[in-house]
Amino acid sequence: ERVEHTDCYRILDGRFEGAAGWTVDRFGSVALVRRYGEPASADTLISGLQSLLGPGAAVVLRQAGQDADCVAGELPPAADDDPLGDRSGRLVVHEEGLRFGVDLFYGRNPGLFLDARQARQLVRKRSASRRILNLFSYTSAFGVAAAAGGARSVTNVDLVRSALDRGRINFALNEL
C-alpha cells in the first residue's frame, strides 16, 4: 500500500509471502534485503529489485549476524545539512510527512521498523493533548508520531544511549 509523503515501506515480508527468512524494506531509493537463518543466494531477488526500483536504485544485503554489503547500485550521498553525518548508508526517509534518520550499516536494525507504521499512525491519531510515555523507545519513532499528533508531552526511555541520541535527531528532523 502506497501512502502519501512516504518513501519507506516494506516490500516483502517472507513470513507471510512464501519466502520465510527474508524481508525487503525500501528506504528512499535503497532496498534493504535481510536474510535471517542460513545464508542463501539473493542474486535473483536483487536483480528483480533493481528492475522494480529503477535506474540508480541501490540494494543492500544484510545476513543476520554479519556486516552489510552494498551489492548493487550506488548509495545516495548524504545531504550537506544531514544531522546523521555523511557516513555511507545514513539516510533521511519520510513516513506520512515525518522525517526519520536510518542507518543501513550500523547495528542490527536500521532505526525505523517499517512493519510498525500502522501502530505509529494509531499513536499519532490518538495522542492529542495526552502525556505519552514511550518505553523501550529505540530511536523514538513512536514518540515522534505522538508529538506530531499533538501530545502535550512525550518521554522516551531506552537503556541504549545511542538509540536515544538517534531519537533526538528524529525529533530535530521534524522540528519537534
Side-chain angles (χ1 to χ4, degrees):
E1 167 190 350
R2 297 285 174 120
V3 176
E4 194 172 338
H5 306 293
T6 299
D7 64 0
C8 56
Y9 49 89
R10 176 138 300 164
I11 294 173
L12 171 83
D13 188 334
R15 295 174 299 172
F16 305 111
E17 300 178 59
W22 291 93
T23 61
V24 179
D25 291 326
R26 182 164 189 177
F27 292 99
S29 65
V30 179
L32 175 62
V33 178
R34 297 200 301 173
R35 170 73 178 143
Y36 303 92
E38 295 300 315
S41 173
D43 295 341
T44 302
L45 180 60
I46 290 166
S47 63
L49 284 168
Q50 286 180 301
S51 295
L52 174 71
L53 300 177
V59 178
V60 173
L61 176 64
R62 298 244 6 218
Q63 174 70 36
Q66 297 179 8
D67 291 335
D69 296 310
C70 184
V71 295
E74 245 181 80
L75 292 172
D80 291 337
D81 61 347
D82 184 354
L84 297 172
D86 62 359
R87 191 176 81 208
S88 180
R90 290 186 179 201
L91 309 168
V92 175
V93 297
H94 306 85
E95 181 182 78
E96 297 185 12
L98 297 176
R99 300 175 74 202
F100 295 97
V102 296
D103 192 328
L104 303 177
F105 296 126
Y106 176 78
R108 291 177 40 179
N109 296 299
L112 183 63
F113 294 112
L114 299 181
D115 55 350
R117 181 175 64 210
Q118 289 180 321
R120 283 188 294 277
Q121 287 172 337
L122 183 64
V123 166
R124 189 174 182 179
K125 286 178 186 174
R126 295 190 176 177
S127 58
S129 301
R130 296 178 186 260
R131 293 175 36 201
I132 304 297
L133 175 60
N134 183 14
L135 297 174
F136 311 102
S137 65
Y138 188 42
T139 61
S140 305
F142 279 95
V144 167
R152 182 170 35 146
S153 68
V154 177
T155 302
N156 295 291
V157 177
D158 201 288
L159 290 174
V160 180
R161 179 168 299 280
S162 62
L164 290 173
D165 291 342
R166 291 172 71 187
R168 284 184 194 89
I169 290 171
N170 285 332
F171 271 83
L173 284 169
N174 292 285
E175 299 178 4
L176 298 169

